[in-house]
Amino acid sequence: MYQVVKRHLWGYLFILPAAVIFGLFLWTPIVKGFVYSLYHVDFMKGNVFVGFDNYVKVLRDPDIGRAVKNTLYYMFLGLVIGFWVPIVFAIAISELRRFQGFVRIAAYLPNVLPVVVLYGLWRWIFDPVGPINAVLSKLGFEPVPFMTDTSWSMVSLVFMETWQQFGGALLIYLAGLLSIPRDWYEAAEIDGAGVWQRIRYITLPSIKSLILLLLILQIISTSQGYQSQYAMLDGGPNKATLTYVLLIVKYAFTSQDYGAASALGVLMFFVLSGLALVQSRLTGREGA
């Protein structure tokens, strides 16, 4: 054992700072979240042990059912509206013969916008007198209440986030497409395969594992979504955009009930751990 440590000492020293940061800023909050979920947290008078009362409290809260339902709806919309967009764009760009570099840069530009600018821009776009409703009015249609109608609010946020975030996934898919040997496409063209045949029989099978990986990652990331819901509508209208993580934020920073917020976080930890386990098994099966 000593010889192994001595042989790899410099390697251990190089990873030590990352391991310390990982432990301090990731696992320490996780462990404290588990502990705080069993306490009534009061920074002035001191914490009081309450056992599983926080879990009983949050599970009896009628808002938790609404938040879970909204989160699942948000995840579903993210898959239906946004998941396929970077795949389509990446395949279309890979088939371009000219201006690929320009199109890649243009597609990634929304990712570099600060969120403050982004939210201000889309508030104006979704405004009752904004550009979309102005065009609809000129065409003779009624204005769409994007931000004030419970049927449209979550859909509007997903459209906004799809436009802003698909550039990152696009680059990942493009990197995957570049790893496909060009000889396969050349051989397919010689055999008379058209664009759709090349996509169906070469492109999609080659990036199948990458699509599956990004699918699981999107499910995990959308399950934690709250920023746009909070910044744009604060969970409204009529709690139509109140997601699970936004409910945690409201417990912690609005009600200052850190014990209940920690209990919600622990419950979410177990759910996401299950999703991570599913991802690990699926990707392992794909690799095998």
Side-chain angles (χ1 to χ4, degrees), residues 39-48 256 258:
Y39 283 82
H40 172 69
V41 180
D42 191 326
F43 296 115
M44 299 297 294
K45 299 179 181 179
N47 301 338
V48 178
Q256 296 186 344
Y258 301 104

Side-chain angles (χ1 to χ4, degrees), residues 216-229:
I216 300 297
L217 291 177
Q218 174 162 324
I219 291 174
I220 293 174
S221 64
T222 51
S223 69
Q224 303 174 64
Y226 85 96
Q227 181 172 285
S228 62
Q229 290 84 355

Side-chain angles (χ1 to χ4, degrees), residues 87 91 177 180 185 196 198-209 211:
I87 301 175
I91 294 175
L177 293 174
I180 303 174
Y185 290 103
W196 296 114
R198 295 198 302 269
I199 293 174
R200 179 180 178 183
Y201 295 107
I202 299 177
T203 304
L204 291 178
S206 299
I207 62 173
K208 181 174 65 173
S209 59
I211 293 174

Side-chain angles (χ1 to χ4, degrees), residues 129-146:
V129 293
I132 296 179
N133 281 319
V135 172
L136 292 176
S137 297
K138 288 186 178 180
L139 294 175
F141 296 100
E142 292 292 326
V144 178
F146 293 105

Side-chain angles (χ1 to χ4, degrees), residues 81-90 162 166 170:
I81 297 175
F83 179 72
W84 55 271
V85 173
I87 301 175
V88 172
F89 270 77
T162 299
F166 88 98
L170 172 70

Side-chain angles (χ1 to χ4, degrees), residues 46-60:
N47 301 338
V48 178
F49 181 79
V50 295
F52 292 99
D53 287 357
N54 287 321
Y55 292 93
V56 174
K57 177 180 179 179
V58 297
L59 290 175
R60 287 179 176 176

Side-chain angles (χ1 to χ4, degrees), residues 16-281:
L16 181 61
V20 172
I21 293 173
F22 187 80
L24 285 177
F25 295 102
L26 182 65
W27 280 106
T28 299
I30 289 175
V31 172
K32 285 190 173 182
F34 276 90
V35 174
Y36 286 159
S37 69
L38 303 175
Y39 283 82
H40 172 69
V41 180
D42 191 326
F43 296 115
M44 299 297 294
K45 299 179 181 179
N47 301 338
V48 178
F49 181 79
V50 295
F52 292 99
D53 287 357
N54 287 321
Y55 292 93
V56 174
K57 177 180 179 179
V58 297
L59 290 175
R60 287 179 176 176
D61 186 348
D63 283 342
I64 191 173
R66 186 190 299 268
V68 170
K69 180 181 177 181
N70 290 341
T71 302
L72 293 175
Y73 182 51
Y74 175 62
M75 295 165 64
F76 171 76
L77 289 177
L79 294 176
V80 173
I81 297 175
F83 179 72
W84 55 271
V85 173
I87 301 175
V88 172
F89 270 77
I91 294 175
I93 292 173
S94 69
E95 292 290 336
L96 289 177
R97 302 300 183 185
R98 302 173 61 185
F99 306 112
Q100 272 200 27
F102 172 77
V103 177
R104 291 177 188 175
I105 295 173
Y108 189 74
L109 281 178
N111 280 68
V112 304
L113 279 179
V115 290
V116 175
V117 176
L118 174 72
Y119 294 150
L121 171 66
W122 282 91
R123 278 183 180 275
W124 170 67
I125 292 175
F126 288 143
D127 194 87
V129 293
I132 296 179
N133 281 319
V135 172
L136 292 176
S137 297
K138 288 186 178 180
L139 294 175
F141 296 100
E142 292 292 326
V144 178
F146 293 105
M147 294 283 98
T148 57
D149 192 321
T150 56
S151 300
W152 279 99
S153 53
M154 191 70 84
V155 177
S156 303
L157 295 181
V158 171
F159 268 111
M160 176 192 71
E161 293 188 343
T162 299
W163 177 85
Q164 193 257 342
Q165 296 179 3
F166 88 98
L170 172 70
L171 293 184
I172 296 174
Y173 283 120
L174 284 173
L177 293 174
L178 290 175
S179 67
I180 303 174
R182 304 310 302 175
D183 297 345
W184 296 0
Y185 290 103
E186 293 173 1
E189 289 181 2
I190 293 173
D191 291 338
V195 174
W196 296 114
Q197 285 76 22
R198 295 198 302 269
I199 293 174
R200 179 180 178 183
Y201 295 107
I202 299 177
T203 304
L204 291 178
S206 299
I207 62 173
K208 181 174 65 173
S209 59
L210 182 59
I211 293 174
L212 177 61
L213 173 62
L214 290 184
L215 171 63
I216 300 297
L217 291 177
Q218 174 162 324
I219 291 174
I220 293 174
S221 64
T222 51
S223 69
Q224 303 174 64
Y226 85 96
Q227 181 172 285
S228 62
Q229 290 84 355
Y230 176 71
M232 296 286 285
L233 295 167
D234 194 23
N238 195 26
K239 300 183 179 180
T241 58
L242 177 66
T243 58
Y244 189 88
V245 176
L246 182 54
L247 181 62
I248 296 177
V249 171
K250 286 184 175 295
Y251 261 108
F253 301 108
T254 302
S255 303
Q256 296 186 344
D257 191 343
Y258 301 104
S262 298
L264 286 170
V266 169
L267 295 174
M268 188 172 192
F269 173 83
F270 285 115
V271 173
L272 294 183
S273 297
L275 288 175
L277 181 61
V278 171
Q279 174 199 351
S280 176
R281 292 194 173 184

